Amino acid sequence: MPRDPRYDILFEPVRIGPVTAKNRFYQVPHCNGMGHYQPLALAGMRGMKAEGGWSVVCTEECEIHPTGDTAPYHEARLWDDHDIPALARMTEAVHKHGALAGCELVHNGPSCSNLYTRMAPIGPRHQPINGYYPAQARAMDKEDIRNYRRWHREAAIRAKRAGFDIVYCYAGHDLSLPMHFLEKRRNDRIDEYGGSLENRVRLFREIIEEAKEAVGDTCGIAVRFATDELMGEAGIASDAEGRDVVEMLAELPDLWDVNVSPWYNDSTTSRFNAEGSQEPFIAFVKRITRKPVVGVGRFTSPDSMVSQIRRGILDFIGAARPSIADPFLPRKIEEGRIEDIRECIGCNICVSGDYTMVPLRCTQNPTMGEEWRKGWHPEQIQAKGSDEPVLVVGAGPAGLECALTLGRRGYRVHVAEAEKELGGRVTRESRLPGLAEWARVRDYRLQQLRKLPNVELYPASRLSADDIRDLGFPHVVLATGAHWRRDGFGRWHPRPVEGFDNPAVLTPDDIMAGKTPEGPVVIFDDDHYYIGGVLAEKLRQAGLDVTLVTPAELASVWTANTLELRHIQQRLLKLGVKIRANLAVTGFFGDHVSLACVFTGAGEDVAARSVVTVTARLPEEALYLALKASPGNLKSVRAIGDAYAPSTIAAAVYAGHDYARSFDGPALVGEVPFRRELPERVAG
C-alpha cells in the first residue's frame, strides 16, 4: 500500500551537524542486558532496527573509563582501543541499512560501584555511592576533572574510529558525572565547578566543546539532558534550572535529546503514564534552540508522532521500547501498513533484561534478543516443511502466537478456545487497573490471524481428549494456560496454609471473574510481581479495607526490575492500602488471619473476613497428560506457555513462537539450542 500522505513529514531528512538522518525515527540509547559481553548479539539487535527503518540507532550507556565501571550490568565499553572492534560490529550492522549509529558516552561517577575494576568511585564531593553497596565516592580534585575530560575526549575519538556518526555527551537519569555536578543537592563545591548554576554547568559545557573539537568535523555531537527530575525545587526542574541549562548551552551541541529523570520517571509503564506524557517537561526546548530535538513518549501512533512534529515539540520521534516491540515500525508506516505495527504495551519486561543482566526480551516481540542467537527475524520466517495441519488448543498469548507463526509459515491451523472470549489471561488481566494496554497482545495477534485464510478460530469450543483424538489432527499443541492455587502453597509455604479451604479465600482468578471479597480483606502476595499490587488497588478502589501482606521487604518487589516499584508503593499508600512486609500469612480463621515474622517467627493477628492468596499457579495440564498417556494416532503432542510451566506473558508468547519456528526442524539432543559468544580458550 502507498504511504498515507499525512505521514510524509515523518520521512523528511534532518541534519545533525555534519551528518544527516534520512527520516525522523530515532532509536534513542537503551540498555539491553548484552553490552560488551555479547557484541555479536548486540550488533544483530541494533542492525535489525536499522533494517526496520530507524534513521538513527544508538548504543546503550557506553562506559568511558574503569572508574565508571557499571558491572555487573552489561553495558557498552570504550575504555581503550581493545573495545573498538566490538562496537565496530554494531556500526557496520547499522550502516548496512543506511542508518546513522550513535554512541552514548557515559561515566556514572558516584552511581558506580566499580565492582569489577575495584577502583575508587569518583564524584563532585565525598558521598556514599547510589544504591546500598557500602562504599563512597571520593571528591574529584582538579587533576581528576582534567583526567575525566581527557577520558571523555579520548572515548569520543575511539567512537569515531569505531564508525559512529553521532557521539553523546550525557547528563541524565540522575546517573552521570555531569548530572551530579549540575545538581545543587549533590554539588557543594566552592571552586569554579560548584556554587552558581554557571559553575555547575561548566564541566558539561567543557566535555561538549572538547567532543566537538575532537570529532565534530565528521560526527554530530548530541546532548542527552534530563530537563526535569520531578522533584520540584529540590532538583532540576523544567520551569527553573532545567530551562536555564538549555538556554546556556542552546546552540552548542548538534542535537538535544531531552527527557525526565530518574529512569523510573523516564520509562514509566503504561500502568502509570500514557503515551506522550513527557511533553509538559520538554516542550520548551525547541523554543530555545535552533538545533534538532529528540524526545521520547512511548510513541506508537503515527498520528501522535506527526502531532509532535507539527506542533513544534520535537524534530525526531525518539523511541526505545516501541523500537523493541516493533523494529520495523518506521517501515510499516512508510509502506502504509499501520495495522501491522506491533504496539508496545508499556510493561517494561524489556527493562528487566538490564536489571537481571540477561539479553532483553519483549512481550510483544518474541524475536527481540534472538536476532543473532537464534537467527530470528521479526518479519521473516521459513516456509512450512509439510502439509500436515496443526490443532492449537487454547487462545491465550501462547496459543495465539503459536497459531500466528505457524499460519505465517503456511500451515493449516485450527485454534479451539474453551471460552467465548479469546485472549486467555491477557483478556482477564487487561481489565485490571492500569493494564488496559496489555490487551494489545491479544488484539495484534487476532487482527493478524484474521488476515490468514489458512487459520481458523473456534471460540466456545471446549475439547476433551477423546474429542481431540477423534478430530484426526496429526499434531496438537496444548496452550491451555494455568490457574492460581487456592491453598497458599508458594515460595514461602511448602504446604497448604491452615484455613485456606474456607470459601472466603479467593484467588486472582476469582477476582478477575467478578467475585468481590468481603472486607476487611488480606491479600497474601508471595508472587512479588504485579498481580498482588494491582488487586490491592482494585479492591481498595471498590471501597474495601485492604491489607497487603508479603514475605518480601516491599510490595510487588520484583517490579524493581520493571521500574515500577516506587510508583506502586506510592499508589498503594496514597490509596490507603496497608502494606505489611516481611510477614507471612500462616492461617485464616474466618474473622482474622495469623501472621508470622519471616525472620523471628513472632506472630500477630489481623482482622480479615476474606483472603486473596497470590502465591503460585498450576498448569492446566489434564488434556496434555491424557494425550501423552494415550496419543492414539497423534504424531506429536506438546504443551506450551503456562500450560507447560507458568511464567510471564512474555514467556508465554515466546514459547508459542519458539514452538512454531522449530515445529518441523531437527530435534536437538544434548546441544545448546542457540549460539553462544564464548571467550577465547586459553591454553593452560
Side-chain angles (χ1 to χ4, degrees):
M1 294 176 60
R3 181 173 76 216
D4 189 322
R6 292 178 298 168
Y7 307 138
D8 287 349
I9 194 172
L10 299 175
F11 295 91
E12 295 174 346
V14 180
R15 192 160 184 80
I16 306 171
V19 297
T20 300
K22 63 184 179 182
N23 62 40
R24 297 181 185 270
F25 294 95
Y26 192 114
Q27 183 245 278
V28 297
H30 72 75
C31 299
N32 49 78
M34 294 184 277
H36 65 279
Y37 284 83
Q38 298 180 58
L40 294 172
L42 186 63
M45 182 267 288
R46 300 292 189 198
M48 193 65 72
K49 309 276 194 78
E51 183 181 344
W54 299 87
S55 69
V56 179
V57 178
C58 298
T59 64
E60 62 275 34
E61 290 189 352
C62 183
E63 304 169 8
I64 66 171
H65 191 264
T67 55
D69 161 32
T70 62
Y73 301 105
H74 300 175
E75 316 299 351
R77 277 183 183 162
L78 272 176
W79 288 0
D80 59 32
D81 289 357
H82 292 92
D83 294 309
I84 293 175
L87 285 171
R89 291 183 180 275
M90 177 199 146
T91 61
E92 290 166 6
V94 169
H95 290 157
K96 179 180 177 181
H97 301 286
L100 302 177
C103 184
E104 184 180 58
L105 301 181
V106 173
H107 191 302
N108 280 330
S111 299
C112 297
S113 304
N114 294 346
L115 295 176
Y116 174 65
T117 65
R118 302 182 71 173
M119 301 178 77
I122 57 176
R125 66 178 180 183
H126 296 297
Q127 66 177 90
I129 63 171
N130 289 5
Y132 299 109
Y133 187 75
Q136 287 197 187
R138 64 180 183 83
M140 297 168 68
D141 60 24
K142 296 294 181 58
E143 182 180 1
D144 294 321
I145 290 175
R146 287 193 297 271
N147 284 337
Y148 165 67
R149 289 166 56 187
R150 175 172 55 82
W151 301 334
H152 195 278
R153 185 179 186 279
E154 290 172 351
I157 293 171
R158 291 189 191 106
K160 176 179 176 178
R161 289 173 55 195
F164 285 100
D165 310 285
I166 298 170
V167 173
Y168 266 80
C169 300
Y170 177 62
H173 295 129
D174 193 28
L175 292 173
S176 67
L177 267 178
M179 191 65 169
H180 279 257
F181 272 81
L182 281 169
E183 294 165 335
K184 57 188 175 185
R185 70 183 185 280
R186 299 189 187 278
N187 183 347
D188 63 355
R189 302 177 72 95
I190 58 174
D191 60 9
E192 65 268 35
Y193 289 96
S196 68
L197 180 60
E198 183 177 2
N199 282 355
R200 286 182 277 124
V201 170
R202 188 181 307 278
L203 184 61
F204 196 24
R205 179 189 295 275
E206 287 173 341
I207 65 169
I208 299 169
E209 291 173 339
E210 289 161 0
K212 291 199 75 171
E213 186 275 331
V215 301
D217 57 333
T218 60
C219 298
I221 304 302
V223 158
R224 198 173 206 193
F225 175 58
T227 62
D228 206 306
E229 298 180 286
L230 307 187
M231 298 173 62
E233 294 182 357
I236 301 291
S238 53
D239 59 355
E241 287 194 341
R243 184 185 187 95
D244 295 339
V245 171
V246 177
E247 289 177 342
M248 288 179 179
L249 305 175
E251 304 304 318
L252 186 56
D254 297 313
L255 175 135
W256 283 90
D257 181 343
V258 289
N259 56 14
V260 296
S261 179
W263 191 14
Y264 57 75
N265 287 329
D266 180 23
S267 297
T268 48
T269 61
S270 57
R271 182 175 170 186
F272 295 100
N273 269 321
E275 180 181 16
S277 63
Q278 295 196 23
E279 182 177 327
F281 309 105
I282 64 172
F284 72 91
V285 178
K286 264 192 66 62
R287 296 195 292 269
I288 293 173
T289 180
R290 293 174 295 174
K291 301 301 177 68
V293 176
V294 58
V296 296
R298 203 166 46 80
F299 297 112
T300 59
S301 163
D303 295 309
S304 297
M305 299 174 191
V306 168
S307 174
Q308 292 283 312
I309 304 301
R310 294 204 181 280
R311 291 186 295 113
I313 309 299
L314 299 174
D315 296 290
F316 284 103
I317 301 302
R321 293 171 291 174
S323 75
I324 294 167
D326 199 333
F328 277 67
L329 183 151
R331 180 82 66 84
K332 289 174 181 177
I333 297 174
E334 186 173 26
E335 295 174 354
R337 298 190 293 123
I338 307 300
E339 73 282 358
D340 292 336
I341 293 173
R342 221 182 274 104
E343 291 186 287
C344 173
I345 70 170
C347 68
N348 278 11
I349 200 73
C350 55
V351 173
S352 73
D354 184 52
Y355 277 104
T356 56
M357 292 153 277
V358 294
L360 81 169
R361 64 284 319 271
C362 175
T363 300
Q364 279 285 59
N365 177 12
T367 70
M368 180 50 55
E370 303 291 1
E371 299 85 357
W372 178 84
R373 248 183 20 154
K374 286 194 169 185
W376 287 0
H377 191 290
E379 304 299 317
Q380 299 172 13
I381 193 167
Q382 75 272 25
K384 64 180 182 178
S386 75
D387 289 326
E388 295 183 331
V390 181
L391 172 65
V392 177
V393 182
L400 290 177
E401 177 64 27
C402 179
L404 177 59
T405 307
L406 287 171
R408 285 174 169 169
R409 293 190 61 192
Y411 283 99
R412 288 186 296 120
V413 184
H414 289 235
V415 183
E417 165 57 48
E419 305 298 328
K420 290 182 179 180
E421 285 189 296
L422 304 176
R425 64 179 289 192
V426 169
T427 293
R428 295 190 295 273
E429 292 182 21
S430 65
R431 293 180 178 134
L432 294 172
L435 303 187
E437 289 191 40
W438 291 29
R440 291 174 172 179
V441 175
R442 173 200 63 206
D443 296 344
Y444 167 77
R445 283 158 182 81
L446 289 177
Q447 191 262 358
Q448 295 295 308
L449 280 166
R450 287 168 181 141
K451 293 183 176 184
L452 298 176
N454 52 320
V455 179
E456 298 286 345
L457 299 170
Y458 298 96
S461 298
R462 188 177 297 274
L463 299 177
S464 67
D466 287 337
D467 293 332
I468 292 171
R469 283 187 288 261
D470 290 345
L471 285 171
F473 284 89
H475 304 283
V476 175
V477 183
L478 285 308
T480 45
H483 64 272
W484 287 93
R485 294 185 68 134
R486 193 178 302 275
D487 59 5
F489 169 90
R491 288 175 173 83
W492 187 255
H493 291 298
R495 57 186 61 87
V497 177
E498 182 181 1
F500 272 34
D501 55 352
N502 189 309
V505 175
L506 304 179
T507 70
D509 295 321
D510 295 325
I511 305 301
M512 289 185 284
K515 292 185 179 180
T516 301
E518 185 178 352
V521 58
V522 166
I523 296 176
F524 178 43
D525 184 8
D526 197 22
D527 177 64
H528 310 298
Y529 193 16
Y530 58 90
I531 284 289
V534 170
L535 292 180
E537 183 177 344
K538 176 181 174 64
L539 296 179
R540 185 68 187 125
Q541 289 175 347
L544 296 177
D545 182 307
V546 179
T547 300
L548 188 149
V549 176
T550 177
E553 63 272 20
L554 292 166
S556 303
V557 70
W558 196 82
T559 63
N561 298 303
T562 58
L563 302 176
E564 297 175 280
L565 185 61
R566 177 181 295 262
H567 300 298
I568 289 171
Q569 311 307 307
Q570 290 175 338
R571 177 164 292 180
L572 294 184
L573 292 172
K574 287 180 179 179
L575 284 172
V577 173
K578 295 182 282 291
I579 299 174
R580 302 295 310 278
N582 299 315
L583 294 165
V585 175
T586 56
F588 176 53
F589 304 96
D591 62 351
H592 72 279
V593 295
S594 59
L595 306 181
C597 173
V598 300
F599 300 114
T600 68
E604 62 177 288
D605 293 339
V606 171
R609 300 299 300 273
S610 58
V611 172
V612 178
T613 176
V614 188
T615 56
R617 288 181 290 158
L618 286 170
E620 297 285 0
E621 60 182 357
L623 276 179
Y624 173 63
L625 295 177
L627 293 172
K628 285 286 285 186
S630 180
N633 293 322
L634 295 174
K635 290 185 177 181
S636 70
V637 178
R638 280 280 300 276
I640 62 172
D642 288 346
Y644 187 68
S647 186
T648 62
I649 296 173
V653 172
Y654 182 89
H657 193 86
D658 188 50
Y659 171 87
R661 285 261 185 183
S662 58
F663 169 59
D664 51 12
L668 288 169
V669 179
E671 297 179 14
V672 177
F674 50 81
R675 293 194 290 178
R676 292 183 293 157
E677 300 187 44
L678 300 174
E680 294 181 8
R681 295 185 181 275
V682 180

